[in-house]
Each structure stands twice: as structure tokens, then as C-alpha cells.
Amino acid sequence: MTLNPADPAFAARLRELLPEQAFRPVAPHYLEEPRGKWTGQAGLVVAPGSVDEVSRALRAAHEARVPVVPYGGGTGLVAAQVMREGPAPMLLSLERMSAIRGVYPEENVLVAEAGAILEDIHTAAEAEGRLFPLTIAAKGSARIGGNLATNAGGVNVLRYGNARDLCLGVEAVWPDGTIFNGLTRLRKDNTGYDLRNLLIGSEGTLGVITAAALKLAPMPAEVGTALLVVESPAAALKLLSLAQARAGGTVSAFELISGVGLEFLKEALPEMRRPFDPAPEWMVLIELGMAEGQDPQAMLESLFEAALEAGLADDGVIAQSGQQRTDLWEMREQIPEANRRIGGISSHDISLPLSEVPGFIEAAGAALRARGDYRVNCFGHLGDGNLHYNVFPTVGKTRADYPGEAAQLQAMVHDMVMARGGSFSAEHGVGRLKVDDLQRYGDKGKLSAMRAIKAALDPHGIMNPGAVLPLS
Amino acid sequence: MTLNPADPAFAARLRELLPEQAFRPVAPHYLEEPRGKWTGQAGLVVAPGSVDEVSRALRAAHEARVPVVPYGGGTGLVAAQVMREGPAPMLLSLERMSAIRGVYPEENVLVAEAGAILEDIHTAAEAEGRLFPLTIAAKGSARIGGNLATNAGGVNVLRYGNARDLCLGVEAVWPDGTIFNGLTRLRKDNTGYDLRNLLIGSEGTLGVITAAALKLAPMPAEVGTALLVVESPAAALKLLSLAQARAGGTVSAFELISGVGLEFLKEALPEMRRPFDPAPEWMVLIELGMAEGQDPQAMLESLFEAALEAGLADDGVIAQSGQQRTDLWEMREQIPEANRRIGGISSHDISLPLSEVPGFIEAAGAALRARGDYRVNCFGHLGDGNLHYNVFPTVGKTRADYPGEAAQLQAMVHDMVMARGGSFSAEHGVGRLKVDDLQRYGDKGKLSAMRAIKAALDPHGIMNPGAVLPLS
């Protein structure tokens, strides 16, 4: 498919269709991504102020066959937001559509425009005594449209689901400029194909989400947090079952933390408090969020006792104050920063069927030991079967000492994950970074249907070319 | 698009592709639907025994351009399973693919073939101490493939979601016979378009689901049930908020029941126990499902007291035994049977944004009173904003006394629902019964995308022609 650059003629055409304030200079931050590895290009940047302006911009791009890169907060980790090859695209930023259109506490619903910052949505929900459960490290700059386009995950997925599960309806624009008015606040609506979920997770390749109706939850009145030392990932999974049997649906987070993670914090961020020194090999961070009159502290204590008795845990800390809770979470949330400072060889955002997690961790560790000297920081959302499995240089070496290994390690880890029925991208998406993985590992009947849908909804292939599916 | 009947030549072709046991006589039950209003046709009935056999049958139909009606338990209420016009179709029954392929209690996952009976899935889950929460009146004959194809709802949606929310992955066959291996047990997998949710709710028009990985939940250890008398639907909604604030996510069901419903039970099923006589105008049936060591009975009592104090409830029954619980649910579940015996003029499976529910009930009641003499039985899944709003003859009349009114009443009710941002089909689907409604009320940008997707995945239009989308 031949596409044309967003050149001065196209810019002139757009200036007839959109007001002055919709045009932005091509500032460097639009062309960067957080990993700092890829640089994008853009012929122009437009920031429409309404769904009608998005429609006009897309219709013009469709007619002129100009590529379009939808742009939220730019926090994605798989380079879906940077197009570095092909004709210079129109970068379509949702930053001017950042309004919270309404909060409906009695319905547990909030309606936001796609450019609303995730943290601003949290604040608006909290003002009405409600929780918007989706939260990620980049919440201060990530925009909800991007969170939906990538089906973002985070630490609360275990209890509340991922972005997909938190969205009731979307307003969007198809590649030819047609507006899809699907901004329903309904909990149940069986009237036709599920276009909302087709857009969610399509990473800007099928259309542009311009607004969303989001599910809120009652704010848990009582919160309790504990860090328990477990013998192994298998013991951690048994502890999860025990916690869910006792605390029901109130288990909000169940994060695996490895001793290597704590060592990395000591090495890279020595000023941080660490609850155990020396670091145990495996820990889980558990959070319970309960209703008024319930006692998560007592529940965690009895869970801890039961875990000690059952031989699942052998040490632990239950936060006794808000500060201690914050410290425990701070430790969890600073692990990615410590990883960055140490400098990994390869990182993997993988998921596995829960019962395959312990076997995978063991087998992958053995395969790495057989191969050479590495350190592995394996941590993440164990309750969802989602691990961040990251491979680092051994002590005294840097990643420069492992030339050409990143791709080999990735292939090795992904092969092992896929052989166990897992996924090579649990929550970050495909973007441009994992297009080859999807072609390699993706089911033939999935890829053929994806191509057919892409061709049907975006016949000129203007939407985020090269993301998710390869350039044809 | 020209389609050909499933004639003897096509049957002969199929006999080369499928074993003898895949062929079934065209028995009457394949051509009936529960409302008894529409009769379908079929040139032949095939019941493949494996996904490969489904693939062969579909590929043959695709090549010969023969229509295909996928068939589960035949319990759908909108005639998606009966094709009464056009060339006689191949009816593709999943009845021979009824195996539970595996139960993974430690993952809270069960994998079933599409023809598994819903109640058999309940039993298999319970044998491992787990709950499969999807439940509907027709559970003894409905098959999970049909439940997924129609995105079935039921009484537990408030807590656990509908069929869509309970499915992790599907195995399916596209209209041209290509197999889609998407039977993942993963909680998180962001690798491409969400084809699973596209198939779920597409009512057999985009492909055939042959197996599914389903989410289980821990079985609630303690269950409590109460029937509280409320002043109005608005008070019922406030009571729901109160219940959720106090009991968190343990509110499993919150069903609105009207006095008319109780009167209908008295009239049509006089042998049934009724908790109140005379019947109050509005009631809610609340169920809590809690973990080990929690006390739903005490929670319901304190909720009842709080509701009395707040003026939201003025009478109530809290079940004191398993028998009393069963009686309360039996009363709820027999309302549709009483409705059938009374004989309605028109029935509506609608949903509304929660805050619009009281205003709608008031306005629709007023509009009906202004129009003539009717009785309205309005009941259902209030927590989801999903009402079964059914209009009946006044005392002493039958529906024969209201000739030609069904369509008018339906248009009136649906217009009022749509004006409030609601849906004309909350949980039953579109089928063939509501195709015109979807054309009338559906967003243009939704319908155009649906047509594009249908044409892309089913270019010859063989899949369930005339369901969801009109015959072109």
C-alpha cells in the first residue's frame, strides 16, 4: 500500500479543516519513547479539540493516504507511538481532549475524554468517594486513550481487571473519519458486535478512541498491606489460593518480589528502606481492600499465621501505619528504576497459566545458568500469571559485555513461555517492538482474521502503519 | 449475495468429509424456539465431533455458498437459532462436542467444548470446590457455546460479569473453515486484536466457537439471602449503594421484584409460597456470598436495620435456612413462568444507566396509563440496570383483546429507553427478532463497522444469514 507523507500540501489542507490551536510544533517529546531506543518522525502534529475535529483530520488523512500515529501520553514501552520508517506521518495528539465529561457516583461510572491524564481520573473519582482502579507507574503522564488503546494492566488487575474490564463504552473515530458513538454507560448491552473491545488493545491501528465511559468501584474503606517471605514461587501461588479462600474478592494486589530485586535496590538506590537484609529469595506483597467495619489487619495476621503453619511463609512484615504501607509499595514501585540503573541485557513482559509459573521460573533459570553468568530479576503480578522476567549482567559486568545476546535471550525466553501456553506480551502490547514475535508465535487463524479486519476498517492502511501488524 | 440450499448434492459432498455419526435427522426440536412463534428450516443437520470436523463442514459450506445456522441448546429468546427464510441451511449442532476438557482449580479455570451443557459445567466446577458463576433459567439445556455466542447474562452478572467477562479464550472456526486457536488460559495477553470478544455476542454470524477457557471463582463459603420491601425503585438503588458500601464485592445478586409479579404468581401458580400477602409494590432480593469465617446473616441484619433507619426499606425477610433461601429464589425464578401463563402483550429486555432507571419506570408507567388499561410486570437485574419490562392485559382481558398493539408498545418502550441512553436488548441479543430495532436505533458508525467486519470475515455471507444484520 502506498502512503504519502504529511507534507506542506497536506498541512495546508488540514489548516482549512481545523482551527489554529489544533496545530502544534513537532517538539522532540512527540518523537521519543521511554526506553530511549527508538526515535520517531512526524510531518506535523495536530491536537484536535473535539471528536468532530478528529473526524475531519482522519478523513483528510484517509483521502490523502497519509499515515496517522495516534498519540496519548507517550509512555508506551513497545514503540507503538513512534513511527521511524516510511513517509512522515501526521501525529494526532489527544492532549487537548482532556476533560472529565462527567462523574456518576451512583452508577459507579466516569466519562472522560481520551486525553485525560490517568491520575486526573483518579482524583476526579476520589472526589466522589470512588476508586478508578487502573494504575500504572506512568499514571502522572499516561492518558486514558492510550491506556485503552494498549489495554493497560498494572497492580490492581487481579481484583478489578485490566483497562478492557474497566471500560463500558467508547466514542471513537474510524480511519475514514466516521464517528462511532458507543459511549454507553450501560452494564449490559447485547446489540451487535463488540467494537469497543476490538478498539481496546488495537494500539491505534483500527481507529482513534476519543472518549470512554469507565467503571468506578467503591473506595475500599480499610486497607491492609503485608510483605511475606515465601519459600518459592510455588509456595507463593498456594498462598494466593489461601488468601483468596479467606479474604474472598478483597485481595487487591499480589505481587511477587525476588531477592535479586532487593539487592538491585540496595545497589542502585541505597537510600531506600529495605524490609529485609540480607534479602530472602522470594517475597510477596499482598494488599487487601475491605469495606467499612472489616479488619484487613486482623485478616492479614491470621493469613500470616496460617501461612506459617502450612509452611508457605517463614517471615513477614504487616504494615502498621500508612507510612509503612507507602514504604512497602515504594519498594515495589522502585524496582523498575533500579533495573534501569543496573542496565538489563533483555527484559520480558510475559504471562503464563498460573500453574505453569513455578515450572517456567525453574526451567528458565536453569537454561540461563547453563548458558553463562547472568542475574535474573523476576517480579510482577503473580496473581495474573504476569511476570516481568528481566536478565542482567552478573556482578562486575555491564550489558556491553554481552554483545548481541539480547535477541538470543529474548528468543530463548519467549520460546519457553510459548511452549507452556504463555504470552510474549502480557500487558505492554505489541507495538513495533514485538511485531516479529507476533508473526512468529501468533496463531495462523488469528493473524489472518486480524489482517482481514484491518483491511476492512482501514483499507488504505493509514492507521499507525507498522504497529501490531507488519507493513504490507 | 446469492446462497444455495443445503440440498442432496451438498449433503453428498459432506458425507465425503464427515463420518456417519456426524449426521442427524432433521428433528422438529432443531427448528423450534422457546417462544413458539417462529419455525426454522434446515436442509440437513450435522453434529461434528471435533474442531477439525467443524472446519471441514464450514469450508464445504463456504465453497458451496450454503447458509449455516450454528446450534447450541436452542434456548435463545430472539430467534437467532431459527432461519425461516431463504435457502434451507445446514444446521450445525455442537451437541457432540460436549466434553469438559479440563478443570484447573489452582488457576480457577475450566476448559469446555462448546456443546457442554451449562449445568454440567457448574457440576464439574463444584466437584473441585469452584463456582462457574454464569447461570440462567435454561441452564439444564443451554450449551456454553450458545451462552458465549449470545453473551448470556443472568442473576450473577452484578458480581461476576456476563459470559464475556467469564471467558479467557476461545477455539473457533472462521466461516471459510480456518481454525482459530485462541484457547488460552491466560489472565493477561496483549498480543493483537481481541477476536475472542468479537466472536462473543456475534450470535453465530462471524464464526463458530468450538471450545472455551472459562473463569471460575472460589465457591462462597457462606451465603445469605434476604427479600426487602422498598418504597420505590429509587430507594432500591440507594439500598444497592448502601449494600455495596457495607458488603463490598460480596453482593452477588440484587433483583428487583414488583408486587405485580407476586400477584401473577398468586394468579398463575397459586400453590407457590409467597412471603408477603397482600404484595407490596416493590421488593429487592439480595444475596451475599462470603468467604470462610464471615457472616452474611449478620451483615444482612445490619443492612436491614440501616435501611429501615434510612427509610429505604419498611419490611423484610431474611432467610433463616437453606429451604427459605430456596423458596425466595424459587419465587424469583418462577416469575417468567407466571408471565407466560398470564400471557403478555409485549415484553422488553432493556437496560438503562442506573441513575435513569427510576425515571424510566415512572415515565413508562405514566405513558401506559395514558394509553389504556394494562398491567406491567417490571422485574430483573436492577444492579446491572437490566429490567424485564413486560406489559400484560388488565384483569379480565387477554392479549387477544389488544390486537396489533405489541409492535406499537415495543416501539413506545424502546423509544423511551433509547432516549435515556439505554439498550433495547440488554442480555438476550439481537437474533432475528430485533434486527429492525438495531437498524433503527443503532449508531451509524457502529453499523457501518459491523457490516465491514462481517464482509471481511464472511465474504459469502453464509453464517446465520438474517441474524443481527439484515439480509443484504
Side-chain angles (χ1 to χ4, degrees), chain B residues 159 219-224 288-297 325:
Chain B
R159 177 168 184 175
M219 183 74 76
E222 307 289 343
V223 178
L288 305 183
M290 294 185 146
E292 266 170 61
Q294 293 187 296
D295 188 349
Q297 206 77 6
R325 265 189 65 210

Side-chain angles (χ1 to χ4, degrees), chain B residues 51 57 131 273 336 356 410 428 432:
Chain B
V51 63
L131 174 75
R273 286 188 209 184
E356 298 282 350
Q410 247 165 43
H428 294 166
R432 290 179 170 82

Side-chain angles (χ1 to χ4, degrees), chain A residues 72-73 94 113-116 121 142-151 209-212:
Chain A
L94 279 301
E113 291 186 338
I121 295 174
R143 298 178 190 271
I144 191 66
N147 296 147
L148 289 167
T150 59
N151 187 28
I209 294 171
T210 54

Side-chain angles (χ1 to χ4, degrees), chain A residues 106-108 130 150-154 157 162 164-165 174 178-181 184-198 200-203 205-206 218 241 244-248 291-292 294 351-356 381 383-384 386 421-430 438 443 445-446 448-450 452-454 456-457 468-469, chain B residues 106-108 130 150-154 157 162 164-165 174 178-181 184-198 200-203 205-206 218 241 244-248 291-292 294 351-356 381 383-384 386 421-430 438 443 445-446 448-450 452-454 456-457 468-469:
Chain A
E106 72 280 28
E107 298 181 9
N108 279 322
R130 295 294 185 276
T150 59
N151 187 28
V157 174
N162 48 25
R164 183 185 305 292
D165 301 309
W174 300 117
T178 303
I179 295 171
F180 166 42
N181 292 298
T184 168
R185 309 202 307 272
L186 300 174
R187 303 271 159 176
K188 281 165 123 179
D189 179 19
N190 275 352
T191 57
Y193 303 161
D194 187 356
L195 304 176
R196 158 179 61 104
N197 277 314
L198 189 62
I200 293 173
S202 69
E203 305 184 44
T205 64
L206 296 179
S241 279
Q244 288 181 322
R246 285 167 167 255
E292 267 172 62
Q294 295 186 295
S351 65
L352 291 151
L354 280 185
S355 61
E356 298 282 350
H381 319 304
D384 313 314
N386 177 193
S423 169
F424 61 86
S425 188
E427 58 176 15
H428 295 166
V430 176
L438 181 54
D443 174 63
K446 172 179 178 174
S448 65
M450 285 176 60
I453 292 165
K454 169 73 174 173
L457 296 178
V468 185
L469 289 168
Chain B
E106 73 281 28
E107 297 181 10
N108 279 322
R130 294 294 185 275
T150 58
N151 188 27
V157 174
N162 48 25
R164 184 186 302 294
D165 301 308
W174 299 118
T178 303
I179 295 171
F180 166 43
N181 292 297
T184 168
R185 309 201 307 270
L186 300 173
R187 304 271 158 176
K188 282 165 120 180
D189 179 19
N190 276 350
T191 56
Y193 304 161
D194 187 355
L195 304 177
R196 161 179 58 106
N197 277 315
L198 190 61
I200 294 174
S202 68
E203 304 184 44
T205 64
L206 296 178
S241 278
Q244 289 180 322
R246 285 167 168 257
E292 266 170 61
Q294 293 187 296
S351 65
L352 291 150
L354 279 185
S355 61
E356 298 282 350
H381 319 303
D384 313 315
N386 177 191
S423 169
F424 61 87
S425 189
E427 59 177 13
H428 294 166
V430 176
L438 181 54
D443 175 62
K446 172 178 177 174
S448 65
M450 284 176 60
I453 291 165
K454 170 74 175 174
L457 295 179
V468 185
L469 289 168

Side-chain angles (χ1 to χ4, degrees), chain A residues 128-454:
Chain A
E128 301 287 346
R130 295 294 185 276
L131 173 74
F132 181 59
L134 182 73
T135 186
I136 55 175
K139 64 189 175 190
S141 50
R143 298 178 190 271
I144 191 66
N147 296 147
L148 289 167
T150 59
N151 187 28
V155 295
N156 287 331
V157 174
L158 178 64
R159 177 168 184 175
Y160 298 102
N162 48 25
R164 183 185 305 292
D165 301 309
L166 295 170
C167 179
L168 295 170
V170 296
E171 173 192 271
V173 183
W174 300 117
D176 70 356
T178 303
I179 295 171
F180 166 42
N181 292 298
L183 200 57
T184 168
R185 309 202 307 272
L186 300 174
R187 303 271 159 176
K188 281 165 123 179
D189 179 19
N190 275 352
T191 57
Y193 303 161
D194 187 356
L195 304 176
R196 158 179 61 104
N197 277 314
L198 189 62
L199 284 162
I200 293 173
S202 69
E203 305 184 44
T205 64
L206 296 179
V208 176
I209 294 171
T210 54
L214 303 168
K215 279 191 210 172
L216 305 179
M219 183 73 76
E222 307 289 342
V223 178
T225 307
L227 182 71
L228 304 189
V229 175
V230 293
E231 196 198 304
S232 63
L237 281 173
K238 283 183 191 150
L239 182 61
L240 172 62
S241 279
L242 191 67
Q244 288 181 322
R246 285 167 167 255
T250 65
V251 183
S252 319
F254 197 88
E255 297 283 303
L256 184 70
I257 297 175
S258 77
V260 176
L262 256 57
E263 285 164 25
F264 280 18
L265 286 173
K266 190 173 178 179
E267 221 171 300
L269 300 162
E271 70 284 6
M272 276 201 61
R273 287 189 208 183
R274 289 177 309 281
F276 303 108
D277 200 353
E281 197 177 354
W282 296 107
M283 290 145 280
V284 288
L285 183 62
I286 308 176
E287 187 154 281
L288 305 182
M290 292 184 147
E292 267 172 62
Q294 295 186 295
D295 188 349
Q297 206 78 5
M299 176 65 81
L300 285 170
E301 279 160 23
S302 93
L303 180 68
F304 185 23
E305 273 170 42
L308 284 171
E309 255 174 56
L312 299 175
D314 53 28
D315 199 354
V317 175
I318 299 174
Q320 302 297 326
S321 67
Q323 185 59 47
Q324 285 186 6
R325 266 189 63 210
T326 306
D327 286 350
L328 288 177
W329 274 108
E330 180 75 4
M331 178 198 69
R332 163 63 184 86
E333 284 171 355
Q334 288 300 321
I335 291 175
E337 178 57 26
N339 286 347
R340 263 187 292 275
R341 297 194 187 186
I342 305 274
I345 307 169
S346 75
S347 62
H348 313 90
D349 165 42
I350 57 172
S351 65
L352 291 151
L354 280 185
S355 61
E356 298 282 350
V357 167
F360 165 79
I361 291 177
E362 196 164 322
L368 284 169
R369 282 191 299 277
R371 190 185 153 94
D373 277 344
Y374 305 95
R375 290 193 289 175
V376 173
N377 189 7
C378 170
F379 67 104
H381 319 304
L382 183 65
D384 313 314
N386 177 193
L387 302 174
H388 299 301
Y389 192 90
N390 297 355
V391 183
F392 293 84
T394 191
V395 181
K397 291 198 175 181
T398 72
R399 78 177 136 208
D401 299 317
Y402 298 79
E405 286 209 25
Q408 293 167 30
L409 287 175
Q410 248 164 43
M412 188 192 94
V413 170
H414 288 172
D415 283 354
M416 295 182 79
V417 166
M418 296 308 289
R420 285 176 161 78
S423 169
F424 61 86
S425 188
E427 58 176 15
H428 295 166
V430 176
R432 289 179 172 81
L433 212 60
K434 297 187 175 178
V435 168
D436 293 343
D437 288 292
L438 181 54
Q439 290 297 308
R440 179 175 175 192
Y441 298 113
D443 174 63
K444 298 282 169 291
K446 172 179 178 174
L447 290 169
S448 65
M450 285 176 60
R451 284 190 299 268
I453 292 165
K454 169 73 174 173

Side-chain angles (χ1 to χ4, degrees), chain B residues 193-441:
Chain B
Y193 304 161
D194 187 355
L195 304 177
R196 161 179 58 106
N197 277 315
L198 190 61
L199 284 163
I200 294 174
S202 68
E203 304 184 44
T205 64
L206 296 178
V208 175
I209 295 171
T210 54
L214 304 168
K215 279 191 210 173
L216 306 179
M219 183 74 76
E222 307 289 343
V223 178
T225 308
L227 183 71
L228 303 189
V229 176
V230 293
E231 195 198 306
S232 63
L237 281 173
K238 283 183 191 150
L239 182 61
L240 173 62
S241 278
L242 191 66
Q244 289 180 322
R246 285 167 168 257
T250 65
V251 183
S252 320
F254 196 88
E255 298 283 303
L256 184 69
I257 296 175
S258 77
V260 176
L262 258 57
E263 284 165 26
F264 280 16
L265 287 174
K266 190 173 178 178
E267 219 170 299
L269 300 163
E271 70 283 6
M272 276 201 60
R273 286 188 209 184
R274 291 176 308 280
F276 303 109
D277 200 352
E281 197 177 354
W282 296 106
M283 290 144 279
V284 288
L285 183 63
I286 308 175
E287 187 155 280
L288 305 183
M290 294 185 146
E292 266 170 61
Q294 293 187 296
D295 188 349
Q297 206 77 6
M299 177 65 81
L300 284 170
E301 279 160 22
S302 94
L303 180 67
F304 185 23
E305 272 171 40
L308 285 170
E309 254 174 57
L312 299 175
D314 53 29
D315 199 353
V317 175
I318 299 174
Q320 301 296 324
S321 67
Q323 186 57 49
Q324 286 186 6
R325 265 189 65 210
T326 306
D327 287 349
L328 289 178
W329 273 108
E330 181 74 5
M331 177 198 70
R332 163 65 184 85
E333 284 171 356
Q334 288 300 324
I335 291 175
E337 179 57 28
N339 285 347
R340 262 187 294 275
R341 296 196 186 185
I342 305 274
I345 308 169
S346 75
S347 62
H348 313 88
D349 165 42
I350 58 172
S351 65
L352 291 150
L354 279 185
S355 61
E356 298 282 350
V357 167
F360 165 79
I361 291 177
E362 196 165 324
L368 283 169
R369 282 191 299 276
R371 194 187 150 91
D373 277 344
Y374 305 95
R375 290 192 290 175
V376 173
N377 190 7
C378 170
F379 66 104
H381 319 303
L382 184 65
D384 313 315
N386 177 191
L387 302 175
H388 298 300
Y389 192 89
N390 296 357
V391 184
F392 293 84
T394 191
V395 180
K397 291 199 177 181
T398 72
R399 78 179 137 205
D401 298 317
Y402 297 79
E405 285 209 27
Q408 293 167 31
L409 287 175
Q410 247 165 43
M412 189 191 95
V413 170
H414 288 171
D415 282 354
M416 294 182 78
V417 166
M418 296 308 289
R420 285 176 161 78
S423 169
F424 61 87
S425 189
E427 59 177 13
H428 294 166
V430 176
R432 290 179 170 82
L433 212 61
K434 297 188 176 178
V435 169
D436 293 343
D437 289 293
L438 181 54
Q439 291 298 308
R440 178 174 177 194
Y441 298 115

